[in-house]
Amino acid sequence: MSNFAFSSLSDVLNMDGHGVYVWVVFSLFLITISTSFYIFNLLIKKYQKRVK
Amino acid sequence: MKLLLPYTNEALKLIKKTRAWIGPILIFILIMVAFPLTVELSSTNLSDAFYPVLFISILLVMMLATEDIFLEDYEDGSLELLLISNKSLSQWVFIKIFIHWLFIGVPISLLGAFFNIGANNDLNSSLMLLPALGISTYIFLILFCFGNSLSLTKGSVLGTLITLPLTLPILVILGKLTSAIIFNINYFEFLILLFGILSIIIFAFPAIISRIIKTHLE
Amino acid sequence: MLREILIIVIKKFIHQFASPKTYFYQVNRLYPWLLYISLFIYLFAIIWGLLFTPKDFVQGHSYRIIYFHVPASFVAQSLYAAMAISSAVFLIWRVKLAAYLARSIAPIGAMVTFIALVSGSIWGIPTWGTWWEWDARITSTLILFIMYLGLISLHNSFNNFDKADKLLAYLAIIGFIQIPIIKKSVDWWSSLHQPASITISDKPSIDPSMLYPLFMSMIGFAGLVACLVILSSKVQIYIREKNKSWVKDHV
């Protein structure tokens, strides 16, 4: 594993001006994947209730 | 002569239903005539936009031409009769598509090449365009028939929307072909690519369409 | 003799596993392991890729979107291939479970393709100066997204599940031609999109320090998407097999 690529936390967020793109994509991934898991678990509970 | 009988039967059926084959041709003529009216007066603009308009209008017209290609036969029970008789359903589908191409695709290809002379003042490029249009109209017809067979009982819109993505690579190839015609490089390669695509789907798709129709009839 | 034994064993295995009940119970046991292991691998890869890899010489830090975009594109195409294979299995061997899997993969595939398109567009802004370009790879991926939506709408428009499954299967198999077109489009047509960095035959053109987190993120993301497919297939089983006694017993 290489060394830490940034000098500070603000550098991590900023990333020489490209931080907004990287973190927007990161949040998109996080929100989409977690929402999908949540929705499917809700659907499973809904159909389990129907079977009962 | 006996071999030609199913072809002539389908041809006569299509001729009787005049709006089914004249309609798409008239719409194509209307679009190609209306298009210069919407463009500015200089002819260089006309030739720039001509090829895209030509290919998109061919796509739309082929979509219209196959709108109820199987629906009438499905509703009046001919498809069920075909299914229980000894005749091959995939052969019937092939003949139907071929006749539609003969009556709609071929005139549209000729008209497209003719309009190209008007837009670009170039007979050579029209002669190069003609076989490409002939092959691509057949490919579009087959793809849209596939889409219509999928949504046989649910209206044609669903089927055509579903198969529209499959036609987009053909449009990309046609776009490359126009560059080939304009700059006169790699023209035969693209024509052979189109012909190769057609040769694969011309017999495979009628068989698949017949299986899909059987699924609907079960 | 050995060949006959092998054929019998394979048939028995497929016959056993092809039952929705066996699949359901096996997958319930596998799911927690798969979820936690993939989550660990993916998070490890993302943290490594985002924070511990060096800056790219040309693209700066914006190349780090590769750890999201490339796994999403790869998985989107693989999901379509999986859907086409299960459709073929359903049509040839009439395995009901294959039809359930094909139907459950479609919405996940649409979501992953959407993520790939959006992340690619966002990556395009600092790299190419434009968020959209009608070049080969991007257009083919958009076509793939539209195909997924078409598959979902086709299946939903029929009340008869058997007919809907067969039609979905036919369309999925025919649409499979899109996958080689997407994969090869970058090589066949000169375009804005960069050529493949990782190929089967040649040495990768990407630096090893960036390559290892990329591979790990692909594996981790594939595992997470497999978990989503498992959840989706469970929903399908609840919908289609709700009258079966084993479902009632399980619930």
Side-chain angles (χ1 to χ4, degrees), chain C residues 100-144:
Chain C
Y100 297 173
L101 277 172
R103 175 62 184 90
S104 53
I105 287 172
I108 315 282
M111 180 200 75
V112 173
T113 319
F114 178 73
I115 293 175
L117 280 169
V118 172
S119 59
S121 302
I122 295 174
W123 194 5
I125 302 169
T127 320
W128 307 327
T130 176
W131 65 276
W132 189 265
E133 185 70 35
W134 291 100
D135 87 323
R137 178 67 72 94
I138 302 173
T139 313
S140 317
T141 312
L142 181 66
I143 294 170
L144 182 68

Side-chain angles (χ1 to χ4, degrees), chain B:
Chain B
M1 271 325 280
K2 229 179 157 184
L3 280 169
L4 288 176
L5 192 62
Y7 289 87
T8 45
N9 275 344
E10 286 299 326
L12 287 168
K13 268 167 73 177
L14 186 59
I15 291 169
K16 263 188 95 176
K17 232 170 72 176
T18 42
R19 68 163 176 83
W21 65 274
I22 284 187
I25 298 173
L26 286 176
I27 290 171
F28 178 73
I29 295 171
L30 197 66
I31 296 173
M32 297 312 293
V33 163
F35 146 70
L37 301 173
T38 60
V39 176
E40 284 299 308
L41 298 168
S42 90
S43 62
T44 49
N45 282 345
L46 200 71
S47 59
D48 277 346
F50 174 76
Y51 287 112
V53 171
L54 175 68
F55 297 139
I56 298 298
S57 52
I58 286 177
L59 184 76
L60 289 171
V61 161
M62 288 299 125
M63 202 156 55
L64 280 168
T66 56
E67 212 178 342
D68 51 5
I69 189 168
F70 300 122
L71 191 64
E72 217 178 67
D73 294 301
Y74 175 76
E75 281 173 350
D76 68 15
S78 321
L79 282 180
E80 276 155 345
L81 270 172
L82 264 169
L83 194 64
I84 57 175
S85 72
N86 284 335
K87 299 197 180 98
S88 153
L89 191 58
S90 62
Q91 192 190 22
W92 177 81
V93 171
F94 172 80
I95 292 169
K96 203 157 181 86
I97 298 175
F98 178 73
I99 294 294
H100 271 75
W101 175 72
L102 214 56
F103 278 81
I104 302 170
V106 168
I108 281 177
S109 313
L110 290 166
L111 285 167
F114 173 71
F115 282 119
N116 182 46
I117 300 174
N120 293 320
N121 293 323
D122 186 3
L123 181 65
N124 195 33
S125 68
S126 292
L127 289 173
M128 287 165 92
L129 195 59
L130 186 58
L133 287 182
I135 296 171
S136 50
T137 45
Y138 206 141
I139 295 173
F140 287 144
L141 260 176
I142 292 173
L143 290 173
F144 285 124
C145 284
F146 169 70
N148 276 295
S149 68
L150 282 172
S151 64
L152 189 58
T153 50
K154 296 284 171 185
S156 63
V157 178
L158 177 68
T160 26
L161 284 177
I162 286 166
T163 39
L164 208 55
L166 292 173
T167 61
L168 296 180
I170 310 294
L171 281 174
V172 170
I173 296 172
L174 284 172
K176 297 281 172 191
L177 193 78
T178 46
S179 322
I181 290 172
I182 292 168
F183 299 113
N184 209 8
I185 43 163
N186 289 336
Y187 164 71
F188 278 113
E189 280 84 349
F190 283 111
L191 196 63
I192 286 170
L193 177 64
L194 277 175
F195 185 71
I197 294 169
L198 179 64
S199 60
I200 295 169
I201 68 176
I202 192 170
F203 297 113
F205 266 61
I208 295 167
I209 291 170
S210 67
R211 286 182 157 238
I212 292 170
I213 292 174
K214 277 179 197 160
T215 311
H216 281 291
L217 293 171
E218 272 162 18

